[in-house]
Amino acid sequence: MSVVQSVDNVALLPAYLAAGTAVFVLLVDLVLARAGATVAAAGVGAVATAAGAALTGAGETRRTFCVGADCSWLADDRAALVAVVFALLTLGVLAISWPLLRSGPTPVGEYCFLLACSMTGGVVLGAAGDLITLIVALETLTLPLYVLVGLRRGSVASAEAAVTFFVVSVVATTLTLLGAALLYAVTGGVHLGRLGALFGERPELLDVPLTTAAVALVVLGLAFKVAAVPFHAWAPATYDGAPLPVAAYLSTASKLGGVVALLAVVERALPATVTGPVLALLAVLTMTVGNLVALRQRRTVRLLAWSSVAQAGYILAPLGALALAAGRTDEARAAAYAAAVAYAVFFVLLELAAFAAVVTLRPAGADGGTLDDLRGAARRRPWVGGAFALALVGLAGLPPGLAGLFAKVTVVRSLLDGGAGWLALVVAVNAVIGLAYYLRLAATLWAAPTADGAPAPARPAGAVAAALAVATALAVLVGFAPQLVLDLAAR
């Protein structure tokens, strides 16, 4: 009997636009061979992808690649939100990459092509409806980053970071694929919705040892991508060795991809009673270790890297409460998922603003340097220093960084509603610990420079200044309209 599979090209429009951007960039680079034109082509493609995703996600959910009731592509509001965020992150990273591309030996065409390919993986990831599509999309997001991390020619740290990232990522992918294969062996399905329905209809499957092993492998494999403790060791070294704009993309888009993938499998496929305790433990370890180690950092990028590890713990915390929320109302479970998505969106906006400020305050092509290199930077660049401090305060969860404040309040509220008061207390304690290094870095920006202080770097490129302004403005505006993000995340 033949099986007819439906295809909805409108639902696939964001993926078409993202993949077309990669091809368009290569053609522009080949024909014009001008750095400005190539970067502009990639920027136009990112804007088109965001617009296409917003139009496609408006209204009813569009499904395609369906066989019966099982669909591999779900273009809904959440998929549109994920695609728009990935496109905007790509646009922002392109802007802060301009000094590096203009002054260094970095090949512009290849750089923009790899970023567009990674953006394509992120767009597909948000709409993935089965394990195969999800894993392929996650690898499409990650594979170009191996090359981008190693693009600082002549830098041993960059080469070491690329190799470390490659080895760890391959191990994580292997674990995830093995877990997916074992899930298929137990259930006979790979579609996320079908897996969730099977575990609900046949609870005896949860008593099969193979099921426990499969769920553990999938969760642990994706935990590598999120840089959750104890699978985090690659992140600080990789971020510090990569070019600054690539480190910004790693700490935002790459982490967002891992969070989206983990959310998809936990929400729709894997049983919360099994994943909840594991994710709760990972959340506690991740936020605690990340914050404690960040206190001792003296290099700027390593401090931001360890803080992003801690932020991953805050994102995982609502998912860890799902085991307790499973016996409660559907509203409590929906609030936990929405809190994780909303926190991830707020985090990447603030993190991008922080990295854009570091790029602005450092010489073109340089690494992030030490905290002492930024001493007194806000005295020389008041506007940039103010934007950097606002991003740091937002990450710490203090006003006037309303986006970060709302994000932490949303997470704590979802934990309390889900019956995980002890986890809410851990989040609150870690948020207080995080204040120490965020405020210390912010204070360093206004501290009096030493007698042999570093000279002021050259004025930033207009693209970098614009990216910093836009990222900061988005973070502020989202803080004034947080319910919009939360509503989109809940759909």
Side-chain angles (χ1 to χ4, degrees):
M1 181 178 65
S2 62
V3 177
V4 178
Q5 188 177 70
S6 66
V7 177
D8 184 352
N9 288 299
V10 176
L12 295 170
L13 179 62
Y16 291 156
L17 290 171
T21 299
V23 177
F24 182 50
V25 163
L26 285 182
L27 292 176
V28 170
D29 186 58
L30 177 65
V31 175
L32 300 180
R34 295 179 58 185
T38 304
V39 174
V44 169
V47 172
T49 301
L55 293 174
T56 304
E60 297 182 359
T61 300
R62 306 185 70 97
R63 304 170 184 268
T64 190
F65 296 129
C66 297
V67 178
D70 299 326
C71 298
S72 297
W73 188 278
L74 305 173
D76 54 10
D77 288 337
R78 188 181 296 183
L81 175 63
V82 171
V84 168
V85 172
F86 270 108
L88 293 179
L89 287 176
T90 303
L91 187 64
V93 171
L94 281 170
I96 66 177
S97 300
W98 178 242
L100 174 69
L101 299 176
R102 182 181 60 180
S103 63
T106 303
V108 179
E110 288 84 344
Y111 186 94
C112 295
F113 170 75
L114 291 170
L115 272 181
C117 289
S118 185
M119 176 181 68
T120 303
V123 170
V124 175
L125 185 62
D130 63 62
L131 285 174
I132 304 303
T133 304
L134 185 140
I135 294 173
V136 170
L138 191 58
E139 288 310 297
T140 304
L141 168 67
T142 307
L143 280 172
L145 299 179
Y146 304 150
V147 183
L148 288 173
V149 169
L151 277 183
R152 273 172 56 192
R153 296 178 179 176
S155 171
V156 176
S158 182
E160 290 177 347
V163 173
T164 301
F165 184 35
F166 172 76
V167 172
V168 171
S169 187
V170 167
V171 172
T173 304
T174 303
L175 291 177
T176 308
L177 285 172
L178 180 57
L182 293 179
L183 276 177
Y184 180 76
V186 173
T187 63
V190 293
H191 289 87
L192 302 179
R194 175 174 287 275
L195 289 172
L198 283 172
F199 285 122
E201 296 169 359
R202 300 175 58 190
E204 67 273 10
L205 290 176
L206 301 180
D207 299 327
V208 179
L210 197 59
T211 302
T212 304
V215 172
L217 287 172
V218 171
V219 171
L220 295 180
L222 296 178
F224 271 105
K225 303 292 186 180
V226 184
V229 175
F231 315 109
H232 66 288
W234 63 272
T238 301
Y239 290 9
D240 200 24
L244 270 178
V246 178
Y249 195 80
L250 273 171
S251 65
T252 55
S254 178
K255 188 175 291 292
L256 178 63
V259 169
V260 170
L262 198 55
L263 273 168
V265 297
V266 171
E267 178 182 9
R268 300 195 311 226
L270 304 183
T273 53
V274 177
T275 60
V278 175
L279 290 174
L281 177 60
L282 287 178
V284 171
L285 290 175
T286 300
M287 68 180 78
T288 304
V289 172
N291 280 320
L292 292 178
V293 180
L295 291 172
R296 299 175 54 84
Q297 299 306 306
R298 292 296 179 267
R299 291 189 59 81
T300 306
V301 172
R302 281 187 176 267
L303 185 147
L304 292 176
W306 281 105
S307 77
S308 73
V309 170
Q311 298 288 345
Y314 301 139
I315 297 171
L316 294 177
L319 302 182
L322 290 177
L324 294 173
R328 294 173 176 255
T329 62
D330 291 338
E331 287 77 8
R333 291 172 54 81
Y337 292 125
V341 175
Y343 195 101
V345 172
F346 294 137
F347 161 71
V348 297
L349 288 175
L350 292 167
E351 187 82 350
L352 181 63
F355 268 98
V358 175
V359 172
T360 305
L361 295 173
R362 297 288 294 156
D367 59 14
T370 65
L371 299 185
D372 289 336
D373 294 331
L374 297 179
R375 181 177 294 274
R379 299 187 177 203
R380 300 187 297 268
R381 307 275 180 76
W383 288 103
V384 177
F388 195 7
L390 181 62
L392 293 172
V393 168
L395 289 170
L398 291 176
L402 296 180
L405 175 62
F406 173 79
K408 283 188 169 55
V409 169
T410 301
V411 167
V412 171
R413 185 176 61 187
S414 71
L415 294 176
L416 294 176
D417 292 342
W422 65 273
L423 191 51
L425 179 61
V426 174
V427 170
V429 170
N430 273 278
V432 174
I433 296 174
L435 294 178
Y437 58 84
Y438 283 125
L439 295 182
R440 183 188 67 190
L441 178 54
T444 300
L445 298 174
W446 274 274
T450 57
D452 55 345
R459 302 297 295 179
V464 180
L468 176 60
V470 171
T472 306
L474 282 175
V476 172
L477 290 175
V478 166
F480 282 105
Q483 194 61 39
L484 175 63
V485 177
L486 196 59
D487 289 342
L488 289 173
R491 295 180 182 179

